[in-house]
Amino acid sequence: MSESTPITPNSQPSEAVESVVNNTDQDRSAKTRQLLGMKGAAPGETSIWKIRLQLMKPITWIPLIWGVVCGAASAGNYTWTLENVLKAALCMLLSGPLLTGYTQTINDYYDREIDAINEPYRPIPSGAISEKQVISQVIVLLLLGYGVAYTLDLWAGHTFPNVLMLSIFGTFIAYIYSAPPLKLKQNGWLGNYALGASYIALPWWAGHALFGELNWKIVILTLFYSLAGLGIAIVNDFKSVEGDRQLGLQSLPVMFGIKNAAWICVVMIDLFQSLVAAYLIFIHQNLYAAILILLIIPQITLQDMYFLRDPVANDVKYQASAQPFLVLGMLVTGLALGHAGV
């Protein structure tokens, strides 16, 4: 009787299944990133409503929605009533989907040549949406935003339309940030500060004005805090450095080199949060200052772990891991200012 040869299991079918699963997961992840407006996305979307949403970059709404919460906190007299919750929700709709959506759409329109180099999967350079459709989206979002802002002023009983004026000012800054001839984003310092102030100060002012009296101290302090937002804005420049170089845009990574720009970025983020903590100590809000300092520490750790080692490869990973600590620090500051009656 001859020996039987053992049958070796064929691993190819299981490897093929695993490959299909991995490819499916990657495809789903790429489509999600495309829908949210994140780096590393994939083209191919055909639904016009999803394409319009991609232009509005939902991932960018979160800090501005949060800024409204911080402004309501700094007003010092927010109460948890149904009316106030609905007011805050409408203000978040204004700051996030409507006016940030307007800002991102108009930015994509004027960045279509750069995106063709850096992010060719974006809706405009990929040909998924026409320029005429993009312009109509800009107009609709702008008019809806102004309508909601004026509604909030009426609801709050403002004799002067504070929220509407803030909205007009914010959309003007958004326009000159993206559009020629000024195109602030061509200058790394001006452009990133305009972006940082738009993400921190403007929604904060809107939330504060809705539930209190906006005053010069809050305006100055949030503009100062926006210098930390300038650092966050610099993070976004690393994904576009190649296109910026080719088209002559003076982003900080182009001006100073990737390594130096990364250090400028983290110093701005950490330094100005620390100075805000020092101000909280000055106004005798020591507990809030201590919490803010504790929230800065993990940001420094994550900067060392991810961002400073490779800012181009790790920009998204760094933002996802570190930004929650920064926005929590904003809320802590808002609560401190409200408690102190600033």
Side-chain angles (χ1 to χ4, degrees):
M1 192 176 203
S2 60
E3 290 185 13
S4 60
T5 304
I7 299 174
T8 304
N10 191 340
S11 62
Q12 290 182 352
S14 62
E15 290 175 356
V17 170
E18 185 179 347
S19 176
V20 169
V21 171
N22 288 337
N23 288 338
T24 303
D25 289 343
Q26 289 173 4
D27 184 59
R28 188 181 296 115
S29 176
K31 286 183 177 180
T32 301
R33 289 194 295 269
Q34 171 73 324
L35 190 62
L36 294 175
M38 298 171 65
K39 187 174 75 170
E45 184 57 65
T46 56
S47 168
I48 187 61
W49 296 109
K50 288 185 178 179
I51 291 166
R52 289 188 182 280
L53 188 62
Q54 289 167 16
L55 282 173
M56 295 162 67
K57 295 186 181 177
I59 196 70
T60 64
W61 303 348
I62 299 170
L64 289 104
I65 290 172
W66 189 257
V68 173
V69 177
C70 298
S74 67
N77 54 7
Y78 180 87
T79 55
W80 287 97
T81 64
L82 177 60
E83 182 181 8
N84 283 347
V85 169
L86 292 176
K87 279 183 189 176
L90 193 58
C91 194
M92 290 175 189
L93 174 68
L94 170 69
S95 296
L98 295 180
L99 295 190
T100 307
Y102 156 85
T103 300
Q104 295 296 344
T105 304
I106 200 169
N107 185 63
D108 261 30
Y109 177 77
Y110 285 108
D111 271 6
R112 55 195 185 277
E113 294 180 1
I114 299 175
D115 286 344
I117 300 169
N118 294 319
E119 300 177 271
Y121 48 78
R122 294 294 301 157
I124 301 175
S126 68
I129 189 170
S130 69
E131 291 184 16
K132 184 177 179 181
Q133 289 173 308
V134 175
I135 293 170
S136 67
Q137 178 165 320
V138 167
I139 294 170
V140 168
L141 289 170
L142 185 65
L143 294 178
L144 282 174
Y146 289 167
V148 168
Y150 188 62
T151 299
L152 284 169
D153 281 318
L154 292 176
W155 197 352
H158 292 159
T159 54
F160 180 81
N162 295 321
V163 181
L164 177 59
M165 289 299 103
L166 287 172
S167 300
I168 292 172
F169 176 67
T171 52
F172 171 71
I173 294 296
Y175 180 80
I176 65 172
Y177 171 80
S178 298
L182 294 178
K183 202 175 179 71
L184 296 180
K185 68 182 300 178
Q186 291 183 120
N187 181 288
W189 293 110
L190 285 177
N192 283 317
Y193 183 69
L195 192 61
S198 297
Y199 271 61
I200 291 179
L202 280 171
W204 195 313
W205 296 349
H208 192 105
L210 192 59
F211 297 104
E213 293 292 330
L214 187 60
N215 59 72
W216 68 268
K217 286 185 180 179
I218 293 295
V219 170
I220 296 296
L221 186 63
T222 49
L223 286 174
F224 185 77
Y225 212 143
S226 297
L227 289 165
L230 187 156
I232 292 294
I234 296 171
V235 177
N236 296 318
D237 289 338
F238 289 93
K239 72 177 188 298
S240 306
V241 64
E242 189 57 40
D244 290 347
R245 280 200 189 104
Q246 291 184 34
L247 295 176
L249 296 182
Q250 294 301 303
S251 68
L252 293 188
V254 172
M255 292 168 65
F256 296 101
I258 288 174
K259 198 69 177 177
N260 290 335
W263 274 103
I264 292 171
C265 174
V266 300
V267 168
M268 296 291 287
I269 292 169
D270 302 335
L271 174 63
F272 287 98
Q273 287 183 93
S274 300
L275 291 174
V276 169
Y279 176 75
L280 296 185
I281 293 172
F282 175 74
I283 60 173
H284 308 296
Q285 298 299 311
N286 298 334
L287 176 60
Y288 292 105
I291 295 171
L292 180 55
I293 291 168
L294 290 174
L295 288 169
I296 297 170
I297 293 171
Q299 294 178 63
I300 295 172
T301 303
L302 291 164
Q303 287 160 3
D304 180 61
M305 286 174 58
Y306 297 133
F307 190 67
L308 289 174
R309 298 187 185 190
D310 192 340
V312 177
N314 295 331
D315 59 342
V316 174
K317 185 184 293 186
Y318 166 68
Q319 283 183 306
S321 57
Q323 203 167 67
F325 297 101
L326 182 138
V327 297
L328 281 173
M330 288 169 54
L331 180 58
V332 167
T333 302
L335 291 168
L337 298 175
H339 186 258
V342 173

